[in-house]
Coordinates of all heavy atoms in Angstrom, one line a residue:
E29 N 21.9 -5.2 119.7 CA 22.6 -4.0 120.0 C 23.8 -3.8 119.0 O 24.0 -2.7 118.6 CB 23.2 -4.2 121.4 CG 24.0 -3.0 121.9 CD 23.1 -1.7 121.9 OE1 22.0 -1.8 122.2 OE2 23.7 -0.7 121.6
A30 N 24.4 -5.0 118.5 CA 25.4 -4.8 117.3 C 24.8 -4.2 116.1 O 25.5 -3.4 115.4 CB 26.0 -6.1 117.2
L31 N 23.6 -4.6 115.7 CA 23.0 -4.1 114.6 C 22.7 -2.5 114.6 O 22.8 -1.7 113.8 CB 21.7 -4.8 114.2 CG 21.9 -6.3 113.9 CD1 20.5 -7.0 113.6 CD2 22.7 -6.5 112.6
R32 N 22.3 -2.2 115.9 CA 22.0 -0.8 116.3 C 23.3 0.1 116.1 O 23.3 1.2 115.5 CB 21.3 -0.6 117.6 CG 21.0 0.8 118.0 CD 20.5 0.8 119.5 NE 19.4 -0.2 119.7 CZ 18.1 0.2 119.7 NH1 17.8 1.4 119.6 NH2 17.2 -0.7 119.9
R33 N 24.2 -0.5 116.7 CA 25.5 0.2 116.7 C 26.3 0.4 115.1 O 26.5 1.4 114.7 CB 26.7 -0.5 117.6 CG 27.9 0.2 117.5 CD 28.8 -0.4 118.4 NE 30.2 0.3 118.0 CZ 31.1 0.4 119.0 NH1 31.0 0.1 120.2 NH2 32.2 0.9 118.5
F34 N 25.9 -0.7 114.3 CA 26.3 -0.7 113.0 C 25.7 0.4 112.3 O 26.3 1.2 111.5 CB 26.1 -2.0 112.4 CG 26.3 -2.1 111.0 CD1 27.7 -2.5 110.6 CD2 25.5 -1.7 110.0 CE1 28.0 -2.6 109.2 CE2 25.9 -1.7 108.7 CZ 27.2 -2.2 108.2
A35 N 24.3 0.6 112.5 CA 23.6 1.5 111.8 C 24.0 3.0 112.3 O 24.1 3.9 111.4 CB 22.0 1.3 112.1
I36 N 24.2 3.2 113.5 CA 24.5 4.5 114.0 C 25.8 5.0 113.6 O 26.1 6.1 113.1 CB 24.4 4.5 115.6 CG1 23.0 4.4 116.0 CG2 25.0 5.8 116.1 CD1 22.7 3.9 117.5
V37 N 26.8 4.0 113.7 CA 28.2 4.4 113.2 C 28.2 4.5 111.8 O 29.0 5.4 111.2 CB 29.2 3.3 113.7 CG1 30.6 3.5 113.2 CG2 29.3 3.2 115.3
G38 N 27.6 3.8 111.0 CA 27.5 3.8 109.6 C 27.0 5.2 109.1 O 27.5 5.9 108.2
Q39 N 25.8 5.6 109.7 CA 25.4 6.9 109.4 C 26.3 8.0 109.8 O 26.5 9.0 109.0 CB 24.0 7.1 110.2 CG 22.8 6.5 109.6 CD 22.1 7.3 108.5 OE1 21.4 8.2 108.9 NE2 22.5 7.2 107.4
A40 N 27.0 7.8 110.9 CA 28.0 8.9 111.3 C 29.1 9.1 110.3 O 29.7 10.0 110.1 CB 28.4 8.6 112.7
M41 N 29.4 7.9 109.6 CA 30.4 7.8 108.6 C 30.0 8.2 107.3 O 30.7 8.2 106.4 CB 31.0 6.5 108.6 CG 31.8 6.1 110.0 SD 32.4 4.4 110.0 CE 33.8 4.5 108.8
G42 N 28.7 8.5 107.2 CA 28.2 8.9 105.9 C 27.6 7.8 105.0 O 27.3 8.1 103.8
I43 N 27.4 6.6 105.6 CA 26.7 5.6 104.8 C 25.2 5.8 104.9 O 24.7 6.0 106.1 CB 27.1 4.2 105.5 CG1 28.6 4.0 105.2 CG2 26.4 3.0 104.8 CD1 29.2 2.8 106.0
S44 N 24.5 5.7 103.8 CA 23.1 5.8 103.9 C 22.3 4.7 104.4 O 23.0 3.6 104.6 CB 22.5 6.0 102.4 OG 22.4 4.8 101.7
L45 N 21.2 4.8 104.9 CA 20.5 3.7 105.5 C 20.3 2.6 104.5 O 20.6 1.3 104.9 CB 19.2 4.2 106.2 CG 19.2 5.3 107.1 CD1 17.8 5.8 107.5 CD2 19.8 4.7 108.4
R46 N 20.1 2.7 103.3 CA 19.9 1.7 102.3 C 21.2 1.1 102.1 O 21.2 -0.2 101.9 CB 19.3 2.3 101.0 CG 18.0 2.7 101.3 CD 17.1 2.7 100.0 NE 15.8 3.3 100.2 CZ 14.7 2.6 100.4 NH1 14.7 1.3 100.6 NH2 13.4 3.2 100.6
Q47 N 22.2 1.8 102.1 CA 23.6 1.2 102.0 C 23.9 0.3 103.1 O 24.5 -0.8 103.0 CB 24.7 2.2 101.8 CG 24.8 2.9 100.5 CD 25.6 4.2 100.4 OE1 25.9 4.9 101.4 NE2 26.2 4.4 99.3
G48 N 23.5 0.7 104.2 CA 23.8 0.0 105.6 C 23.0 -1.4 105.4 O 23.5 -2.4 105.9
E49 N 21.7 -1.4 104.9 CA 21.0 -2.5 104.7 C 21.7 -3.5 103.8 O 21.9 -4.6 104.1 CB 19.7 -2.2 104.1 CG 18.5 -1.7 105.0 CD 17.3 -1.6 104.2 OE1 17.1 -0.6 103.5 OE2 16.3 -2.5 104.5
E50 N 22.3 -3.0 102.8 CA 23.1 -3.8 101.8 C 24.3 -4.4 102.5 O 24.5 -5.5 102.3 CB 23.4 -3.0 100.6 CG 22.3 -2.8 99.5 CD 21.8 -4.0 98.9 OE1 22.6 -4.9 98.6 OE2 20.5 -4.1 98.9
L51 N 24.9 -3.5 103.1 CA 26.2 -4.1 103.9 C 25.8 -5.2 104.8 O 26.5 -6.1 104.9 CB 26.9 -2.9 104.5 CG 27.7 -2.0 103.5 CD1 28.1 -0.7 104.3 CD2 28.8 -2.6 102.7
L52 N 24.8 -4.9 105.6 CA 24.4 -6.0 106.6 C 24.0 -7.3 105.9 O 24.2 -8.3 106.4 CB 23.2 -5.4 107.5 CG 23.7 -4.5 108.6 CD1 22.4 -4.0 109.2 CD2 24.5 -5.2 109.7
G53 N 23.5 -7.2 104.7 CA 23.1 -8.2 103.9 C 24.3 -9.2 103.7 O 24.1 -10.4 103.3
T54 N 25.5 -8.8 103.6 CA 26.7 -9.5 103.3 C 27.2 -10.2 104.6 O 27.9 -11.3 104.5 CB 27.8 -8.7 102.9 OG1 28.3 -7.7 103.9 CG2 27.4 -7.8 101.6
I55 N 26.8 -9.9 105.8 CA 27.1 -10.7 106.9 C 26.1 -11.1 107.9 O 26.3 -11.9 108.8 CB 28.1 -9.7 107.7 CG1 27.4 -8.3 108.2 CG2 29.4 -9.4 107.1 CD1 28.2 -7.4 109.1
V56 N 24.8 -10.9 107.6 CA 23.7 -11.1 108.5 C 22.7 -11.8 107.7 O 22.4 -11.4 106.5 CB 23.1 -9.9 109.2 CG1 21.9 -10.1 110.1 CG2 24.1 -9.1 110.0
P57 N 22.1 -12.9 108.3 CA 20.9 -13.5 107.7 C 19.8 -12.5 107.3 O 19.6 -11.6 108.0 CB 20.5 -14.7 108.6 CG 21.6 -14.8 109.5 CD 22.3 -13.6 109.5
P58 N 19.1 -12.7 106.1 CA 18.1 -11.7 105.7 C 17.1 -11.4 106.8 O 16.7 -10.3 106.9 CB 17.6 -12.3 104.4 CG 18.6 -13.3 104.0 CD 19.4 -13.8 105.2
E59 N 16.6 -12.4 107.4 CA 15.7 -12.3 108.5 C 16.0 -11.5 109.6 O 15.2 -10.9 110.5 CB 14.9 -13.6 109.0 CG 16.0 -14.5 109.7 CD 16.8 -15.4 108.8 OE1 16.7 -15.3 107.6 OE2 17.6 -16.1 109.4
R60 N 17.4 -11.2 109.9 CA 17.9 -10.4 111.0 C 18.2 -9.0 110.6 O 18.4 -8.1 111.4 CB 19.0 -11.0 111.5 CG 18.6 -12.3 112.2 CD 19.7 -12.7 113.3 NE 19.9 -11.7 114.3 CZ 21.2 -11.3 114.7 NH1 22.2 -11.9 114.1 NH2 21.2 -10.3 115.6
I61 N 18.1 -8.6 109.2 CA 18.4 -7.3 108.8 C 17.2 -6.3 109.1 O 16.1 -6.6 108.6 CB 18.7 -7.3 107.3 CG1 19.9 -8.2 106.9 CG2 19.0 -5.9 106.8 CD1 20.1 -8.4 105.5
P62 N 17.6 -5.3 109.9 CA 16.5 -4.3 110.1 C 16.2 -3.5 109.0 O 17.1 -3.3 108.2 CB 17.1 -3.4 111.3 CG 18.5 -3.6 111.3 CD 18.8 -4.9 110.6
D63 N 14.9 -3.1 108.6 CA 14.7 -2.2 107.5 C 15.3 -0.8 107.7 O 15.6 -0.4 108.9 CB 13.2 -2.1 107.2 CG 12.4 -1.6 108.3 OD1 12.8 -0.7 109.0 OD2 11.2 -2.1 108.5
H64 N 15.4 0.0 106.7 CA 16.0 1.2 106.9 C 15.3 2.2 107.7 O 15.8 3.1 108.3 CB 16.4 1.8 105.5 CG 15.1 2.3 104.7 ND1 14.5 1.3 103.9 CD2 14.5 3.4 104.6 CE1 13.4 2.0 103.3 NE2 13.4 3.2 103.7
A65 N 13.9 2.0 107.8 CA 13.2 2.9 108.7 C 13.5 2.6 110.2 O 13.6 3.5 110.9 CB 11.6 2.6 108.6
T66 N 13.7 1.4 110.5 CA 14.1 1.0 112.0 C 15.5 1.6 112.2 O 15.8 2.2 113.2 CB 14.2 -0.5 112.2 OG1 12.8 -1.0 112.0 CG2 14.6 -0.9 113.5
M67 N 16.4 1.5 111.2 CA 17.8 2.0 111.4 C 17.8 3.5 111.5 O 18.4 4.1 112.2 CB 18.8 1.5 110.3 CG 19.0 0.0 110.3 SD 20.4 -0.5 109.3 CE 19.9 -0.1 107.7
G68 N 16.8 4.2 110.7 CA 16.6 5.6 110.8 C 16.3 6.0 112.2 O 16.7 7.0 112.7
R69 N 15.3 5.3 112.9 CA 14.9 5.6 114.1 C 16.0 5.4 115.3 O 16.1 6.3 116.0 CB 13.6 4.7 114.6 CG 12.3 5.2 113.9 CD 11.2 4.5 114.5 NE 11.2 3.0 114.4 CZ 10.9 2.3 113.2 NH1 10.3 3.0 112.2 NH2 10.9 1.0 113.3
W70 N 16.7 4.5 114.9 CA 18.0 4.3 115.9 C 18.9 5.4 115.8 O 19.3 5.9 116.8 CB 18.5 3.0 115.6 CG 17.8 1.7 115.8 CD1 16.7 1.5 116.6 CD2 18.3 0.3 115.3 NE1 16.5 0.2 116.7 CE2 17.4 -0.5 115.8 CE3 19.2 0.0 114.4 CZ2 17.4 -1.9 115.6 CZ3 19.2 -1.4 114.1 CH2 18.3 -2.3 114.7
T71 N 19.2 5.7 114.4 CA 20.2 6.8 114.4 C 19.7 8.2 114.7 O 20.3 9.1 115.4 CB 20.7 7.0 113.0 OG1 19.6 7.1 112.0 CG2 21.4 5.8 112.5
K72 N 18.3 8.4 114.6 CA 17.8 9.7 115.1 C 17.8 9.8 116.7 O 18.2 10.8 117.2 CB 16.3 9.9 114.6 CG 15.6 11.1 115.1 CD 14.2 11.2 114.6 CE 13.6 12.4 115.0 NZ 12.2 12.5 114.9
A73 N 17.4 8.7 117.3 CA 17.6 8.6 118.7 C 18.9 8.9 119.2 O 19.2 9.7 120.2 CB 17.0 7.4 119.2
A74 N 19.9 8.3 118.6 CA 21.4 8.5 119.0 C 21.8 9.9 118.7 O 22.6 10.5 119.7 CB 22.1 7.5 118.1
A75 N 21.3 10.5 117.7 CA 21.7 11.9 117.4 C 21.1 12.8 118.4 O 21.8 13.8 118.9 CB 21.3 12.3 115.9
E76 N 19.9 12.6 118.8 CA 19.2 13.4 119.8 C 20.0 13.3 121.1 O 20.2 14.3 121.9 CB 17.7 13.0 120.0 CG 16.9 13.5 118.8 CD 15.4 12.8 118.7 OE1 15.1 12.0 119.6 OE2 14.7 13.4 117.8
R77 N 20.3 12.0 121.5 CA 21.0 11.9 122.8 C 22.3 12.5 122.7 O 22.7 13.1 123.7 CB 21.2 10.4 122.9 CG 21.9 10.1 124.3 CD 21.9 8.6 124.6 NE 22.4 8.4 126.0 CZ 23.6 8.0 126.2 NH1 24.6 7.9 125.1 NH2 24.1 7.8 127.4
A78 N 23.1 12.5 121.6 CA 24.4 13.1 121.4 C 24.3 14.7 121.5 O 25.1 15.2 122.2 CB 25.0 12.6 120.2
G79 N 23.1 15.2 121.0 CA 23.0 16.6 121.0 C 22.8 17.0 122.6 O 23.3 18.1 122.9
R80 N 22.0 16.2 123.3 CA 21.7 16.6 124.7 C 23.0 16.5 125.5 O 23.3 17.4 126.3 CB 20.7 15.6 125.3 CG 19.3 15.9 124.8 CD 18.3 15.1 125.6 NE 18.5 13.7 125.7 CZ 18.0 12.8 124.8 NH1 17.3 13.2 123.8 NH2 18.2 11.7 124.9
L81 N 23.7 15.5 125.3 CA 25.1 15.3 125.9 C 26.2 16.5 125.5 O 26.8 16.9 126.4 CB 25.8 13.9 125.5 CG 25.1 12.7 126.1 CD1 25.7 11.5 125.5 CD2 25.2 12.7 127.6
L82 N 26.2 16.9 124.2 CA 27.0 18.0 123.9 C 26.6 19.3 124.7 O 27.4 20.1 125.0 CB 27.1 18.1 122.5 CG 27.8 17.0 121.6 CD1 27.5 17.2 120.1 CD2 29.4 17.1 122.0
T83 N 25.3 19.5 124.6 CA 24.8 20.7 125.3 C 25.3 20.7 126.7 O 25.7 21.6 127.4 CB 23.2 20.8 125.1 OG1 22.8 20.9 123.8 CG2 22.7 22.0 125.9
K84 N 25.0 19.4 127.4 CA 25.3 19.4 128.8 C 27.0 19.6 129.1 O 27.4 20.3 129.8 CB 25.0 18.1 129.4 CG 25.1 17.9 130.8 CD 24.1 18.8 131.5 CE 24.2 18.7 133.1 NZ 23.2 19.5 133.8
A85 N 27.7 19.0 128.0 CA 29.1 19.1 128.2 C 29.6 20.6 127.9 O 30.4 21.2 128.7 CB 29.7 18.3 127.1
E86 N 29.0 21.3 127.1 CA 29.3 22.8 126.8 C 28.9 23.6 128.2 O 29.6 24.5 128.5 CB 28.5 23.4 125.7 CG 29.1 22.8 124.3 CD 28.4 23.4 123.1 OE1 27.4 24.0 123.2 OE2 28.9 23.1 122.0
E87 N 27.8 23.2 128.7 CA 27.5 24.0 129.9 C 28.3 23.8 131.1 O 28.5 24.6 131.9 CB 25.9 23.6 130.4 CG 24.9 23.9 129.4 CD 23.4 23.4 129.7 OE1 23.5 22.5 130.6 OE2 22.5 23.7 129.0
T88 N 29.1 22.7 131.3 CA 29.8 22.3 132.4 C 31.3 22.5 132.0 O 32.1 22.4 133.0 CB 29.4 21.0 132.9 OG1 29.6 20.0 131.9 CG2 28.0 20.9 133.3
C89 N 31.6 22.6 130.8 CA 33.0 22.6 130.5 C 33.7 24.0 130.9 O 33.3 25.0 130.6 CB 33.2 22.5 128.9 SG 34.8 22.6 128.3
L90 N 34.8 23.8 131.7 CA 35.5 24.9 132.2 C 36.1 25.8 131.1 O 36.1 27.1 131.1 CB 36.5 24.6 133.3 CG 36.0 23.9 134.6 CD1 37.2 23.4 135.4 CD2 35.1 24.9 135.3
V91 N 36.7 25.1 130.1 CA 37.2 25.9 129.0 C 36.1 26.7 128.3 O 36.3 27.9 128.0 CB 38.0 25.0 128.1 CG1 38.5 25.7 126.9 CG2 39.1 24.4 128.8
T92 N 35.0 26.1 127.9 CA 34.0 26.8 127.1 C 33.5 27.9 128.0 O 33.3 29.0 127.5 CB 32.8 25.8 126.8 OG1 33.4 24.7 126.1 CG2 31.8 26.5 126.0
R93 N 33.2 27.7 129.3 CA 32.8 28.8 130.1 C 33.8 29.8 130.2 O 33.3 31.1 130.3 CB 32.5 28.2 131.6 CG 31.2 27.3 131.4 CD 30.7 26.6 132.6 NE 30.9 27.4 133.9 CZ 31.1 26.9 135.1 NH1 31.1 25.5 135.2 NH2 31.4 27.5 136.2
S94 N 35.0 29.6 130.4 CA 36.0 30.6 130.5 C 36.1 31.5 129.2 O 36.4 32.6 129.2 CB 37.4 30.1 130.9 OG 38.0 29.3 129.7
L95 N 35.9 30.9 128.0 CA 36.0 31.7 126.8 C 34.7 32.7 126.8 O 34.9 33.7 126.1 CB 35.7 30.7 125.5 CG 37.0 29.9 125.3 CD1 36.6 28.9 124.3 CD2 38.2 30.6 125.0
G96 N 33.7 32.5 127.4 CA 32.6 33.4 127.5 C 32.8 34.4 128.7 O 31.9 35.3 128.8
A97 N 33.8 34.4 129.4 CA 33.9 35.2 130.6 C 34.4 36.5 130.2 O 35.2 36.7 129.2 CB 34.8 34.7 131.5
T98 N 34.1 37.7 131.0 CA 34.6 38.9 130.7 C 35.9 38.9 131.2 O 36.2 38.6 132.4 CB 33.6 39.9 131.4 OG1 32.4 39.7 131.0 CG2 34.1 41.4 131.1
V99 N 36.9 39.5 130.5 CA 38.2 39.6 131.0 C 38.6 41.0 131.3 O 38.2 42.0 130.6 CB 39.1 39.1 129.9 CG1 40.7 39.3 130.3 CG2 38.9 37.7 129.5
H100 N 39.2 41.3 132.4 CA 39.7 42.6 132.8 C 41.0 42.4 133.2 O 41.5 41.5 134.0 CB 38.9 42.9 134.2 CG 37.4 43.1 133.9 ND1 36.8 44.2 133.4 CD2 36.4 42.4 134.4 CE1 35.5 44.1 133.4 NE2 35.2 42.9 133.9
L101 N 41.8 43.3 132.6 CA 43.2 43.3 132.9 C 43.6 44.7 133.6 O 43.1 45.8 133.2 CB 44.1 43.2 131.6 CG 43.8 42.0 130.8 CD1 44.6 42.1 129.4 CD2 44.3 40.8 131.5
E102 N 44.5 44.6 134.5 CA 44.9 45.7 135.2 C 46.5 45.7 135.1 O 47.1 44.7 135.5 CB 44.6 45.8 136.7 CG 43.3 46.4 136.9 CD 43.0 46.6 138.4 OE1 43.9 46.9 139.2 OE2 41.8 46.2 138.7
A103 N 47.1 46.7 134.7 CA 48.6 46.6 134.7 C 49.1 47.5 135.9 O 48.5 48.6 136.1 CB 49.1 47.3 133.4
T104 N 50.1 47.0 136.5 CA 50.8 47.8 137.5 C 52.3 47.8 137.0 O 52.9 46.7 137.0 CB 50.6 47.1 138.9 OG1 49.3 46.9 139.1 CG2 51.3 47.9 140.0
V105 N 52.7 49.0 137.1 CA 54.2 49.2 136.9 C 54.9 49.7 138.1 O 54.5 50.8 138.7 CB 54.5 50.2 135.7 CG1 55.9 50.4 135.4 CG2 53.7 49.8 134.5
E106 N 55.8 49.0 138.6 CA 56.7 49.4 139.7 C 58.1 49.7 139.2 O 58.6 48.9 138.7 CB 56.6 48.4 140.8 CG 55.2 48.1 141.4 CD 55.3 47.1 142.5 OE1 56.4 46.8 143.1 OE2 54.3 46.4 142.8
V107 N 58.4 50.9 139.6 CA 59.8 51.3 139.4 C 60.7 51.0 140.5 O 60.5 51.6 141.6 CB 59.9 52.8 139.0 CG1 61.3 53.2 138.6 CG2 59.0 53.0 137.8
A108 N 61.7 50.2 140.4 CA 62.5 49.9 141.5 C 63.7 51.2 141.7 O 64.2 51.6 140.7 CB 63.3 48.6 141.3
T109 N 63.9 51.3 142.8 CA 64.9 52.4 143.1 C 66.1 51.7 143.3 O 66.3 50.7 144.1 CB 64.4 53.3 144.2 OG1 64.3 52.5 145.4 CG2 63.2 54.2 143.9
S110 N 67.3 52.1 142.9 CA 68.5 51.6 143.2 C 69.0 52.1 144.5 O 68.9 53.2 144.9 CB 69.5 51.9 142.0 OG 69.5 53.1 141.6
V111 N 69.8 51.2 145.2 CA 70.3 51.6 146.5 C 71.7 52.0 146.3 O 72.5 51.5 145.7 CB 70.1 50.5 147.5 CG1 70.6 50.8 148.8 CG2 68.7 49.9 147.5

């Protein structure tokens, strides 16, 4: 799970998959380093999940929904009479 998170966060920060492999090589034994294709599948799945979550959040967000609402204003002016 830590390797998966490393790959996903690294991609989100702009680190290429091959750079991620190299960086992992400094802290993980070579036999535990996933290849860049595996890391690519992990990051693609995370991106798809994030996209679904963002879509759902936008659909249920009160602020977002209120921005798309039609606004109707009515002005009422009352003149007070002095006694």
Side-chain angles (χ1 to χ4, degrees):
E29 184 58 33
L31 295 175
R32 182 183 305 259
R33 182 179 167 144
F34 180 92
I36 293 166
V37 172
Q39 280 274 275
M41 296 176 72
I43 295 171
S44 75
L45 295 172
R46 294 205 187 262
Q47 288 171 324
E49 278 184 288
E50 282 296 316
L51 289 171
L52 282 173
T54 65
I55 56 173
V56 176
E59 63 276 2
R60 293 210 46 231
I61 300 171
D63 61 34
H64 66 276
T66 299
M67 292 194 299
R69 286 190 296 277
W70 292 342
T71 57
K72 181 180 179 194
E76 289 168 353
R77 182 172 186 264
R80 289 191 305 272
L81 290 172
L82 286 172
T83 298
K84 188 67 171 176
E86 286 179 354
E87 291 170 355
T88 59
C89 176
L90 295 175
V91 174
T92 301
R93 286 176 37 202
S94 69
L95 292 174
T98 304
V99 178
H100 297 282
L101 297 177
E102 274 186 44
T104 305
V105 179
E106 293 183 21
V107 178
T109 57
S110 41
V111 183

